[in-house]
Amino acid sequence: VVLCRTNQQYTLAPGDDRISNSTSQNPAGGRPLRVIYPNLSFEDRLAGRSRRTNAALQRTVDCLTPFVGLLGQPGDAVIVTESGKPSDLPAPLSAVRFLTIDEALKLRGVGGTDFTLVPWGWDADARHLAKKLDHRGQIPPEDAVADVNGRLFSAELDAVCDHHQDVLFDGRFGKVCRSESEFLQATGQLAELGFDEWLAKPAWSGAARSRLPGRCGHLSRSQAGWLRRQLRDSGYVWLEPFLTVLRECGVQLEIGNPASVGSSAIVDTIGVTEMLTDASGRFRGSVISDTVDPVWRSAIVAAQAAGRQAAERGYFGPLGIDCMQVRLPDGRSVIRACHDINGRFTMGRLALQLSPLIETGKNGVWIHGAVGESLPSCERRVNSPAIEWSDDVEAARLSPRLVAG
């Protein structure tokens, strides 16, 4: 993973005002010593799926975990597995300590220091660890966390912006299906609207896992089996058309705890990061800029409204909301708001932590590449009109050179 700085200006629509990215806020500032817990399988735990992972997936998690240290302050501890301890750290990760849970527990009470747990998201594992560490902070209600991260919540807000009520399901991007017959009827409706493919999602999922693609007018035996399992376990699935994605962005919010501020919850917009993907749609990084393309204006407004609704349901803490620009079968491009709502930290939130490394007047691109992949190769893989590469690019390593040797 590298951070690139470039003089290339972030794309802006001619004549539009810029939207300022506010990244100076740090909700964690001034708190007791923090133990950061990168429970990256957060959605799997909410869904009650098994904790067991294969070796390849565990290796991927071990390699991603150190980046959560970007949330840390000097002296903070980041929880890792024994097989995931990083070494030869880049400067942005060198001020935090990487410890196993057992090593962190030994720190409890040392020097009279209070501990605050900062998890990726508040699942059952995080709540259990908070109890063991005698966590001093507030924890959002369990039902509020499950509610905000569930597909039923995003279904209420997953809309086509700018009054395009003539497309899809009465302006909504997808449909909640509670039976196999309702699912088949909805795929038929998509076919009538000119869509060839669909995507089905379970009640809780993250990082594009546990999702099912298909073609309108066809449901194979294995697809029907997946559908029946989801309906049995969760009572519903979410169905949406599979479309060409032109651009994606993440709106990063922080919802204050009403008990702490003594009034209604405050929803702060921490910043907006445009996502970079490759041709297959795989996440490849983020654009870090002090300005935001006005094309996202309606999506940002929708995300802020979603944040207020999450607060009304009792949730507080980090909230990342993904939006995208898609092309419809008739050639129109529209903004889809709130297609994923994450009541947890996100990679986009981590990217914003890199803002202090970007010189004034320059923009940054946080690129996730394969081991040994060259920067030009990464640049070729990135599929986004948000940036244009120039020759004036500085690159800095952000990955540990070694993870568990």
Side-chain angles (χ1 to χ4, degrees):
V1 175
V2 295
L3 174 67
C4 299
R5 308 176 186 87
T6 174
N7 288 322
Q8 179 67 40
Q9 290 298 309
Y10 188 74
T11 305
L12 290 168
D16 280 323
D17 294 332
R18 296 184 176 189
I19 305 168
S20 175
N21 237 351
S22 175
T23 59
S24 60
Q25 304 174 59
N26 183 0
R31 294 181 180 177
L33 181 63
R34 301 183 306 167
V35 176
I36 300 171
Y37 181 44
N39 49 326
L40 299 181
S41 297
F42 168 73
E43 282 85 3
D44 290 336
R45 294 291 289 127
L46 286 185
R49 288 189 281 269
S50 173
R51 300 184 191 182
R52 289 182 293 179
T53 58
N54 59 46
L57 179 58
Q58 185 59 54
R59 183 63 177 168
T60 299
V61 170
D62 285 343
C63 289
L64 288 174
T65 292
F67 300 126
V68 185
L70 292 171
L71 296 171
Q73 300 170 0
D76 285 354
V78 180
I79 298 297
V80 294
T81 63
E82 194 64 48
S83 64
K85 281 194 172 183
S87 57
D88 196 356
L89 299 168
L93 297 176
S94 61
V96 297
R97 293 172 285 176
F98 292 91
L99 306 173
T100 65
I101 289 179
D102 287 342
E103 289 169 338
L105 290 173
K106 292 178 182 178
L107 293 176
R108 183 177 55 184
V110 173
T113 302
D114 290 333
F115 285 79
T116 298
L117 186 68
V118 182
W120 185 249
W122 282 105
D123 61 12
D125 291 341
R127 293 172 189 276
H128 179 67
L129 181 57
K131 185 175 181 179
K132 294 176 73 173
L133 286 173
D134 194 19
H135 166 74
R136 298 295 183 180
Q138 297 294 317
I139 299 176
E142 188 173 1
D143 57 348
V145 172
D147 187 14
V148 167
N149 284 280
R151 200 67 61 184
L152 287 179
F153 180 65
S154 62
E156 299 175 13
L157 305 161
D158 190 351
V160 181
C161 293
D162 303 322
H163 310 292
H164 289 285
Q165 299 298 315
D166 59 321
V167 297
L168 307 178
F169 301 97
D170 298 324
R172 297 295 175 186
F173 197 84
K175 183 178 179 62
V176 173
C177 300
R178 300 183 183 276
S179 68
E180 188 172 349
S181 61
E182 188 176 10
F183 182 88
L184 292 173
Q185 182 181 10
T187 59
Q189 185 176 349
L190 287 177
E192 292 174 1
L193 291 170
F195 298 101
D196 295 324
E197 299 176 90
W198 49 260
L199 189 65
K201 301 178 180 178
W204 292 277
S205 63
R209 296 192 301 271
S210 304
R211 303 179 182 188
L212 181 71
R215 297 191 64 83
C216 293
H218 177 74
L219 189 69
S220 68
R221 180 178 296 180
S222 62
Q223 289 171 332
W226 180 94
L227 175 62
R228 290 164 188 155
R229 285 192 300 274
Q230 299 302 326
L231 292 172
R232 178 197 66 205
D233 294 343
S234 304
Y236 73 93
V237 297
W238 170 256
L239 175 71
E240 64 185 50
F242 186 84
L243 292 175
T244 299
V245 178
L246 304 177
R247 299 169 68 175
E248 296 183 70
C249 85
V251 182
Q252 313 302 327
L253 307 176
E254 183 72 23
I255 302 177
N257 179 6
S260 299
V261 298
S263 61
S264 59
I266 297 174
V267 180
D268 287 328
T269 303
I270 304 300
V272 179
T273 52
E274 186 138 356
M275 300 180 206
L276 304 178
T277 58
D278 59 22
S280 67
R282 180 184 175 188
F283 176 78
R284 282 286 182 171
S286 302
V287 175
I288 307 162
S289 177
D290 59 1
T291 58
V292 181
D293 193 326
V295 72
W296 300 118
R297 190 181 301 276
S298 58
I300 294 170
V301 172
Q304 292 167 333
R308 291 190 291 272
Q309 290 197 37
E312 290 173 1
R313 298 188 182 211
Y315 177 78
F316 57 87
L319 189 72
I321 299 179
D322 295 344
C323 316
M324 60 172 58
Q325 184 183 44
V326 297
R327 181 178 290 121
L328 299 176
D330 62 9
R332 283 183 293 172
S333 63
V334 297
I335 297 296
R336 176 188 181 187
C338 307
H339 77 84
D340 267 331
I341 298 179
N342 303 296
R344 56 169 172 78
F345 286 105
T346 64
M347 285 294 172
R349 183 67 173 265
L350 297 185
L352 289 176
Q353 299 297 115
L354 298 170
S355 296
L357 303 180
I358 309 299
E359 298 175 26
T360 302
K362 293 189 176 183
N363 299 301
V365 183
W366 189 27
I367 297 180
H368 295 226
V371 174
E373 187 174 15
S374 66
L375 179 57
S377 174
C378 289
E379 292 173 1
R380 287 193 298 271
R381 286 179 179 269
V382 167
N383 177 33
S384 174
I387 54 173
E388 295 178 10
W389 297 103
S390 69
D391 294 331
D392 184 18
V393 175
E394 305 170 52
R397 174 178 64 92
L398 287 179
S399 296
R401 290 195 185 277
L402 295 172
V403 175

